[in-house]
Amino acid sequence: MKHILIVDDNLENRYLLRALLEGSGFTVAEAPQGMDALTKARQWAPDLIISDLLMPVLDGYSLLQHWKADEVLKTIPFIVYTATFTDPKDQRLALALGADAFVIKPCEPEPLLAIIQEKLDKAGCGELPATSQSQPEDITLLKEYNEILVRKLEKKVFQLEQANRELQEEIVEHKRTEKALRLRDQAIQAASQGIIITDPTQPDNPIVYANDGFEQMTGYPLEVALGHNCRFLQGPNTDLEAVARLRAAIAASRACTVEILNYRQDGTPFWNALSVNPVTDEQGTLKYFVGVQSDVTERKKLEEQLRQSQKLEAIGRLAGGVAHDFNNLLTVIISHSEQVVNLPEISPSIRKSVQAIREAGDRAAALTRQLLGFSRQTMLQPRVLDLNSIIANTAKMLVRLIGEDIQISTVLDPNLKPVKVDPTQLDQILINLAVNARDAMPYGGKLSIETANILFQEDATSSHLDCKAGLYVMLAITDTGCGMPPEILAHIFEPFFTTKEVGKGTGLGLAMVFGIVKQSEGTIHVYSEPGQGTTFKIYFPAMAAQAGLPIPETNEEEGLGSETILLIEDDEGVRQLVLTSLELYGYKVLAAQDGQEAFRIANAQAEPIDLVLTDIVMPHLNGPQVAKQLKMQFPHLKVLFMSGYTDDTVIRHGLLEAQVAFIQKPFTPLSLTQKIRQVLDGKSPSKG
């Protein structure tokens, strides 16, 4: 077996050449430069040497000189195997120095092996040509050698410089990439959203990465979350339909966006807006899922507030419509009952039955007023007043109302701004909330009433969706009672919703409070937890004007008269009742069922009409529109409005601003005639 020595400073070149030779049945030794090659050759004489030219320490030309000068080595074939940047001078010099063959890289295996075998065969037969007679000391040969060596060194230096420049560029690019990756990682860690990466190639698609935002949002440390499927964030109230959509998208390797109710490590729920996107490699193979989480709990709360407000608005419109028709019926029932009960010829038993009818009508009227309060369709008489004074007066009555086992305390801001509200309705708010608090504290407790000036900034109104920015007066009523769970809080302002026993509550108290507050351009919020009591906070817009004086009470007067009244009422039962009642009290009545008929009667009437008594809500033309046109034609005409319910747009812009006279249905003949007498006699209009 022939032994061959390979000399090359390039490790890859040596590896390839060694593989070729060993595959052809040769044994191989290696040396990275000429000095090592001489040492190994003198210790173990090879059958052939293959050497590169340009190498450190001792280059190929110098190795060839020493090789041919050695008495033992000079007979061993020396093949130069060098790169393609050589020229004919290289070959001439190598052969002149005694090289047995000059082969240019790269060379196909078969020709190279053929050259090697040829030189081995000739060496074995002693047929190798004698070494050139030219000596290395020859000046011409030495000069040529130096020129070739310098040229090769220059080319090698150029190659090294070019490689160094490429390496420097790679280093700069690598540093730039590292910096971008660091910035990306810092941005991901600093992001307020939770960012997670899951590995679908592993069983159960576990989390393999999570940023700090995930830990801040969920409360789970990263070491706890890693290796688990995201389902550990789910809980008993998680939307299973949303979870199913998410799992279907993951199974299909497609993007998906869902909102899921998740739970933090401490058990508190939060709404998670989750966007999941697949990540594939260049071949399209799924590698990861990237999920971005956002806490949208506050937005969901605001949306729920808006839905609740819209729902209450719709219920309010329904309640107002029912109350309107119901009040027309109650007007007939109560008025006829009053007329019958005053007849001297009826028996005591009949009188007692009619009185029971009248009392039932009054109770029904009270329920209707509560419906109107909830639907914001009560005719208010607002005034600018001092809220502290109203609370101070009402608190005395509340002590008797709620009992001695409940302690009442007040914390009233001495610099409180005035508010514009109906004092009677404000009393109703305080009484209803105090009664509710008493029922929540059956074994006693504390009830506190607080006032303060509150300034809502633009950014603060996000938590109070129904509050515009500005200055408000807060009325807070807090009890130490049993409190309410969230499922009760969601419905407390709805009419007929009550947690009390049958027969102990109508479910209209808080609904009426809600309606009065809204109609007074205020807002109401409730805060409660089971066992922690309840706080109602009401915000009224603060007023710049000073609080006014109380409205004097109107003394009752007899309703007799002889004036001419134009009655406009679209309900036939009410129209006939009012017509009969007014005629009994001495008035001359002209009845019309709508505005068009009223105009015809007024224009055909020879004698002047003293007063128009008109319903507000009627088909075609409403009451204020009819009254306005009649007053343009008859400026002296006085007007009294009546209604079973009052539409906000009509009343607020048509009646309150004009400070007109108004009487609320249902009414009795006596209360109606007293109100008519006040208007005809020119007294200040007040609520009937």
Side-chain angles (χ1 to χ4, degrees):
M1 182 178 291
K2 299 297 183 179
H3 305 285
I4 298 178
L5 176 61
I6 301 172
V7 189
D8 198 317
D9 61 335
N10 188 293
L11 178 62
E12 183 178 355
N13 290 343
R14 294 202 307 271
Y15 172 79
L16 293 174
L17 192 53
R18 182 188 189 111
L20 174 64
L21 294 175
E22 288 181 341
S24 301
F26 298 101
T27 59
V28 179
E30 296 180 20
Q33 41 89 6
M35 191 61 70
D36 286 345
L38 285 173
T39 302
K40 287 186 178 183
R42 286 165 180 164
Q43 294 174 350
W44 168 72
D47 295 302
L48 183 141
I49 182 172
I50 301 174
S51 176
D52 193 14
L53 287 179
L54 193 59
M55 297 180 294
V57 184
L58 190 66
D59 63 272
Y61 290 115
S62 299
L63 173 60
L64 179 57
Q65 289 177 356
H66 288 287
W67 192 274
K68 293 301 180 179
D70 190 289
E71 291 297 326
V72 177
L73 301 178
K74 65 182 180 180
T75 60
I76 298 174
F78 195 111
I79 297 176
V80 175
Y81 189 46
T82 189
T84 55
F85 60 77
T86 56
D87 58 26
K89 288 184 178 181
D90 300 324
Q91 184 175 3
R92 288 198 304 270
L93 178 59
L95 295 177
L97 292 174
D100 297 290
F102 191 95
V103 182
I104 298 175
K105 298 177 183 176
C107 180
E108 294 295 328
E110 290 79 5
L112 179 60
L113 289 173
I115 294 173
I116 293 172
Q117 191 62 49
E118 177 192 357
K119 299 305 177 185
L120 287 172
D121 292 343
K122 288 185 177 182
C125 299
E127 297 179 359
L128 285 176
T131 304
S132 172
Q133 298 302 312
S134 299
Q135 299 297 322
E137 291 78 12
D138 183 86
I139 295 176
T140 302
L141 187 61
L142 182 62
K143 181 179 179 182
E144 187 175 355
Y145 165 74
N146 288 333
E147 288 177 354
I148 293 173
L149 187 61
V150 169
R151 186 180 71 250
K152 288 183 177 291
L153 287 174
E154 286 177 349
K155 290 183 178 180
K156 194 68 173 181
V157 168
F158 175 78
Q159 282 186 330
L160 290 174
E161 288 178 347
Q162 185 176 5
N164 184 59
R165 284 194 298 271
E166 293 175 354
L167 180 61
Q168 291 296 328
E169 290 175 358
E170 289 180 3
I171 292 174
V172 171
E173 183 63 26
H174 181 68
K175 289 182 177 179
R176 186 183 297 113
T177 303
E178 283 187 340
K179 182 178 180 181
L181 291 174
R182 284 197 303 271
L183 290 175
R184 183 201 64 183
D185 292 341
Q186 292 171 359
I188 291 174
Q189 291 298 336
S192 59
Q193 291 91 351
I195 299 176
I196 58 174
I197 299 176
T198 64
D199 187 354
T201 64
Q202 298 185 34
D204 208 26
N205 192 21
I207 297 174
V208 295
Y209 171 83
N211 72 335
D212 293 341
F214 172 85
E215 182 175 354
Q216 295 170 5
M217 184 180 302
T218 65
Y220 284 97
L222 302 184
E223 59 270 17
V224 174
L226 294 179
H228 293 84
N229 186 278
C230 296
R231 71 171 66 91
F232 72 88
L233 295 173
Q234 299 171 15
N237 295 322
T238 298
D239 185 355
L240 297 181
E241 182 180 347
V243 173
R245 291 201 309 272
L246 177 61
R247 290 178 178 173
I250 291 175
S253 302
R254 55 182 171 81
C256 180
T257 299
V258 294
E259 290 185 355
I260 299 180
L261 184 64
N262 284 161
Y263 292 82
R264 298 184 176 89
Q265 190 179 35
D266 60 7
T268 58
F270 72 99
W271 278 100
N272 179 8
L274 175 62
S275 176
V276 177
N277 289 276
V279 178
T280 58
D281 60 15
E282 295 178 353
Q283 288 73 36
T285 304
L286 178 65
K287 291 296 184 181
Y288 301 102
F289 279 105
V290 177
V292 180
Q293 301 172 309
S294 299
D295 187 345
V296 294
T297 305
E298 288 302 316
R299 175 173 65 77
K300 297 289 285 189
K301 287 181 179 179
L302 294 178
E303 289 176 352
E304 182 59 30
Q305 288 183 23
L306 178 60
R307 283 193 295 269
Q308 183 73 0
S309 176
Q310 291 172 338
K311 180 171 64 175
L312 293 177
E313 195 76 33
I315 296 175
R317 287 194 294 269
L318 174 62
V322 171
H324 170 241
D325 295 337
F326 198 47
N327 273 334
N328 282 335
L329 298 174
L330 288 174
T331 300
V332 177
I333 294 171
I334 293 175
S335 298
H336 281 300
S337 298
E338 183 179 272
Q339 290 177 354
V340 173
V341 81
N342 290 326
L343 294 176
E345 63 271 18
I346 64 173
S347 65
S349 61
I350 294 177
R351 179 174 283 105
K352 185 176 181 180
S353 297
V354 175
Q355 285 176 340
I357 295 173
R358 168 63 190 273
E359 291 172 0
D362 289 339
R363 289 194 298 272
L367 287 175
T368 308
R369 282 193 295 273
Q370 289 181 318
L371 276 175
L372 289 171
F374 164 72
S375 59
R376 296 176 239 172
Q377 292 165 352
T378 300
M379 184 66 177
L380 300 182
Q381 297 288 310
R383 292 189 300 114
V384 178
L385 50 81
D386 178 16
L387 189 58
N388 287 345
S389 300
I390 300 295
I391 293 172
N393 292 331
T394 307
K396 301 174 184 177
M397 177 182 64
L398 294 180
V399 174
R400 299 189 298 271
L401 181 65
I402 65 178
E404 297 179 354
D405 57 343
I406 296 177
Q407 178 184 351
I408 299 180
S409 63
T410 58
V411 181
L412 308 180
D413 187 343
N415 300 315
L416 196 68
K417 296 290 184 181
V419 296
K420 187 175 184 180
V421 65
D422 187 323
T424 303
Q425 300 295 343
L426 183 57
D427 284 342
Q428 195 66 49
I429 291 174
L430 292 170
I431 292 171
N432 272 280
L433 294 180
V435 169
N436 273 8
R438 178 198 65 189
D439 295 340
M441 298 182 289
Y443 305 107
K446 294 182 180 180
L447 177 67
S448 62
I449 304 175
E450 179 186 358
T451 61
N453 296 317
I454 301 293
L455 178 62
F456 280 129
Q457 305 286 357
E458 287 289 349
D459 55 351
T461 58
S462 60
S463 58
H464 294 74
L465 189 63
D466 46 1
C467 285
K468 298 179 181 179
L471 183 61
Y472 289 80
V473 173
M474 180 195 71
L475 166 62
I477 300 178
T478 303
D479 65 62
T480 58
C482 58
M484 293 176 283
E487 58 268 21
I488 298 296
L489 283 175
H491 301 283
I492 59 170
F493 293 125
E494 296 178 8
F496 306 115
F497 177 81
T498 179
T499 58
K500 299 177 182 178
E501 298 177 11
V502 176
K504 293 189 176 181
T506 63
L508 288 172
L510 289 177
M512 182 178 66
V513 169
F514 179 88
I516 293 172
V517 170
K518 289 296 184 180
Q519 193 174 358
S520 301
E521 299 183 3
T523 63
I524 182 170
H525 298 266
V526 59
Y527 310 88
S528 184
E529 292 183 16
Q532 301 298 318
T534 301
T535 297
F536 286 90
K537 289 186 177 182
I538 300 172
Y539 301 94
F540 292 113
M543 305 300 295
Q546 296 297 320
L549 297 174
I551 296 177
E553 295 291 334
T554 303
N555 295 325
E556 292 188 0
E557 299 180 22
E558 293 297 330
L560 298 175
S562 59
E563 289 88 347
T564 300
I565 297 175
L566 175 57
L567 169 64
I568 312 172
E569 169 63 61
D570 61 318
D571 186 281
E572 183 177 359
V574 176
R575 187 170 66 251
Q576 291 300 323
L577 171 68
V578 173
L579 173 62
T580 303
S581 300
L582 294 181
E583 287 179 342
L584 287 174
Y585 277 84
Y587 294 100
K588 180 180 179 182
V589 182
L590 306 172
Q593 65 178 357
D594 56 32
Q596 296 298 330
E597 187 175 2
F599 294 143
R600 290 195 297 270
I601 293 174
N603 291 325
Q605 180 66 20
E607 297 180 4
I609 298 173
D610 300 292
L611 180 139
V612 173
L613 174 61
T614 178
D615 194 11
I616 291 178
V617 181
M618 296 184 298
H620 309 304
L621 291 175
N622 60 41
Q625 293 171 330
V626 174
K628 181 178 180 180
Q629 294 187 32
L630 287 173
K631 282 187 69 67
M632 291 176 61
Q633 190 172 354
F634 308 103
H636 69 283
L637 200 60
K638 296 184 178 181
V639 180
L640 173 60
F641 292 100
M642 59 181 174
S643 183
Y645 97 127
T646 54
D647 179 78
D648 276 347
T649 57
V650 175
I651 294 303
R652 288 196 173 277
H653 302 292
L655 299 185
L656 286 181
E657 295 178 0
Q659 291 295 300
V660 300
F662 172 80
I663 185 168
Q664 178 75 52
K665 296 177 183 177
F667 47 72
T668 65
L670 178 60
S671 62
L672 174 61
T673 53
Q674 288 176 340
K675 188 69 177 181
I676 289 174
R677 193 70 264 158
Q678 292 175 16
V679 176
L680 288 172
D681 293 343
K683 296 185 177 181
S684 298
S686 61
K687 184 173 63 175

